[in-house]
Amino acid sequence: MEGTTTAFFAGQVTLTQLVQNLVYASGTVGALTVVAGLLMIDAGTTRSANLYNSTIEKMVGFFIGFATYFIIGFGFWAGQYYIMAGGTMMDSLKDWWFFGALSNAHAQTVDPAVWPGLNTFQIFIFFLACFAGIVNVLLHFAVSERMKASAFYITCVVATVVSSVLSWAVWGSVGPLTNAGFHDFFGIGFVYIFPTGIAMVLVPQLGKRPGMFAPHPKVPSYKAPSIGLAATGLITIFAGLPMVILSCLFFFDPETYAVSVTMANTSVGIAFNNYGISWAGGAITGAIISYRTKNYIYLLLGPLAGYVSGAPGFDVYLPWQMFLVSLGAPIAAWIVYNFTSKRQIDEHKLFPLFIGAGFYALIMVGLVKSGTPRGGYFGVTEGAYAFQHGQISVLMQLAGFALCLGAGILTGLILSVVLKATTGLRVPEDAQAEGLDKLFWGLENESKS
């Protein structure tokens, strides 16, 4: 029988290992809570006649990204550790693709000398697969109601693979840019800025939605059905992300010693408090902008901008520094929002948050925490991957932003050419105005506004 011939490595299934497993499993719960919050925001701000179609496309896009990541994505991210140890990216892909030896092994049957803490890394596949799906959900916010479903779903597969490769370079501690000094604790580069680059290419080609900037014969004005539901989605995201913070930490002996995924010195309490105060700072400035301009949107975008401003540096800021940085984030987002609105660019979420606040976030980490040691890997004392050999710098922050946005733009350019020549890219304007729920699903809404 298999049970009598298979080796058993008790060190892989200790109570300490279980605690770490639960920590990282909680991150998957947090990520799924974020998805729920994003869907609420979409439901509260999408025109009623397109609401079901918009929601279902986001859900399908999420699971396409999720499944694609399971098939091939994780091997790219894990490849940085193989290369550090003298292996290759292909070794990682062989071990961690859908049918790979390590992705399908029971932890207790794998020698810790081969791969310690296997359960944790397997759970990390689920965790990062959620964020691969979130990349697609965010992209859909920019192209919703205008992009053909077939074109969007193809884009989801490609975006997942490219963002997975990008995560190897810019998120972790021993990837090419992170090891050299680029610092991004929460991964806003490959999760937020990358899909924004794709959107920068697609949005101008998709055009404006009927009624968004000027009356349309069938859509006098574009009306959000429930801002209250959108606000509830915002708080749902706020509630889910603390669990994700735990999954962006590595824990070493002594058992509660935490360093960030970039190997910077931090602690659970500081990272949590930075997260919370970033939302507060963004909410305060966002409320001031909203009351001064009589525009409700910044009561929603303000807290999110504050969060984005802190996401690259929750591990290294002190709470008072985080608060001051987050106060300025909604202003950066507001500048981009005004710029795009005056030019009737129909994208009001990704551009302000991830070009405005995202650029501000990465630069502020470089300015405020310049020289902070990080990078390498714990326990390595010399060589290119020595623990905390690298330092945060403005130059590397600029390089990381340029790489992530540029990768998105290049991906969008290639996809737009291919999609136009195959499935087509844009839903006709008359169909948009009539309502995609009725056209595709036979659903009638009480209001077509």
Side-chain angles (χ1 to χ4, degrees):
M1 292 178 64
E2 182 180 359
T4 61
T5 59
T6 302
F8 186 91
F9 297 95
Q12 294 276 36
V13 287
T14 63
L15 181 59
T16 298
Q17 288 291 333
L18 177 60
V19 170
Q20 289 209 23
N21 299 159
L22 293 174
V23 165
Y24 292 106
S26 74
T28 67
V29 177
L32 293 172
T33 303
V34 170
V35 175
L38 290 172
L39 293 180
M40 289 181 194
I41 291 174
D42 183 57
T45 57
T46 298
R47 182 171 158 245
S48 297
N50 298 321
L51 182 53
Y52 175 77
N53 189 73
S54 179
T55 301
I56 207 67
E57 284 182 359
K58 283 181 174 63
M59 288 181 61
V60 174
F62 172 83
F63 282 113
I64 287 174
F66 187 90
T68 302
Y69 195 86
F70 261 82
I71 292 170
I72 194 65
F74 186 74
F76 288 112
W77 180 77
Q80 61 188 290
Y81 301 105
Y82 280 72
I83 294 170
M84 176 186 72
T88 66
M89 178 66 75
M90 186 56 66
D91 293 331
S92 178
L93 292 172
K94 286 179 180 178
D95 281 344
W96 291 105
W97 79 297
F98 203 37
F99 298 101
L102 291 180
S103 60
N104 288 280
H106 294 122
Q108 65 271 17
T109 66
V110 175
D111 189 339
V114 174
W115 201 276
L118 182 62
N119 272 327
T120 292
F121 263 75
Q122 289 176 339
I123 292 169
F124 226 63
I125 300 175
F126 193 133
F127 172 70
L128 287 174
C130 289
F131 281 92
I134 287 172
V135 167
N136 295 333
V137 173
L138 291 172
L139 176 61
H140 195 265
F141 273 107
V143 302
S144 176
E145 306 171 80
R146 292 165 286 172
M147 189 174 185
K148 284 188 174 181
S150 55
F152 173 65
Y153 295 149
I154 292 170
T155 300
C156 288
V157 175
V158 175
T160 299
V161 175
V162 177
S163 67
S164 299
V165 176
L166 198 58
S167 72
W168 157 73
V170 300
W171 192 71
S173 64
V174 293
L177 254 68
T178 51
N179 195 52
F182 176 63
H183 191 84
D184 184 5
F185 172 70
F186 232 48
I188 72 167
F190 77 97
V191 178
Y192 301 158
I193 295 171
F194 166 69
T196 304
I198 299 177
M200 288 178 67
V201 176
L202 297 182
V203 168
Q205 299 182 59
L206 293 170
K208 297 170 283 190
R209 286 168 287 185
M212 179 58 70
F213 294 105
H216 183 278
K218 292 183 178 179
V219 190
S221 64
Y222 191 100
K223 296 180 180 178
S226 177
I227 301 303
L229 181 59
T232 303
L234 188 75
I235 295 300
T236 301
I237 293 173
F238 182 49
L241 283 172
M243 290 180 282
V244 179
I245 287 176
L246 282 174
S247 295
C248 293
L249 300 172
F250 280 85
F251 297 92
F252 297 105
D253 290 330
E255 293 171 1
T256 59
Y257 173 55
V259 296
S260 72
V261 69
T262 65
M263 297 292 146
N265 290 329
T266 190
S267 67
V268 174
I270 288 292
F272 264 59
N273 286 344
N274 282 335
Y275 168 75
I277 203 66
S278 71
W279 279 74
I284 289 169
T285 303
I288 292 171
I289 293 173
S290 284
Y291 281 112
R292 290 295 298 271
T293 62
K294 307 301 181 185
N295 186 342
Y296 74 86
I297 193 64
Y298 269 88
L299 289 166
L300 299 177
L301 288 181
L304 288 171
Y307 150 68
V308 171
S309 76
F314 288 148
D315 54 335
V316 293
Y317 283 128
L318 299 177
W320 66 268
Q321 294 172 328
M322 182 71 268
F323 183 64
L324 293 177
V325 169
S326 65
L327 286 172
I331 298 173
W334 179 50
I335 291 170
V336 175
Y337 184 89
N338 278 351
F339 178 88
T340 55
S341 295
K342 288 177 179 178
R343 288 157 181 79
Q344 296 192 355
I345 298 172
D346 189 3
E347 208 302 297
H348 311 300
K349 299 180 179 73
L350 271 63
F351 292 174
L353 286 175
F354 306 138
I355 294 178
F359 178 78
Y360 170 83
L362 291 173
I363 296 304
M364 290 305 293
V365 171
L367 290 173
V368 177
K369 305 305 293 187
S370 178
T372 301
R374 26 74 67 232
Y377 197 78
F378 186 77
V380 179
T381 58
E382 59 183 15
Y385 302 106
F387 180 59
Q388 295 186 345
H389 72 93
Q391 296 182 348
I392 297 174
S393 70
V394 173
L395 181 61
M396 288 307 302
Q397 296 304 97
L398 285 170
F401 179 84
L403 176 62
C404 294
L405 191 68
I409 292 172
L410 180 60
T411 302
L413 287 171
I414 295 171
L415 278 170
S416 63
V417 172
V418 173
L419 294 172
K420 284 181 177 179
T422 53
T423 64
L425 190 64
R426 186 172 183 265
V427 175
E429 184 174 299
D430 286 344
Q432 294 180 44
E434 181 65 27
L436 303 184
D437 288 1
K438 179 180 179 181
L439 180 66
F440 295 151
W441 309 104
L443 297 174
E444 294 283 355
N445 295 282
E446 293 182 3
S447 170
K448 292 183 180 181
S449 60

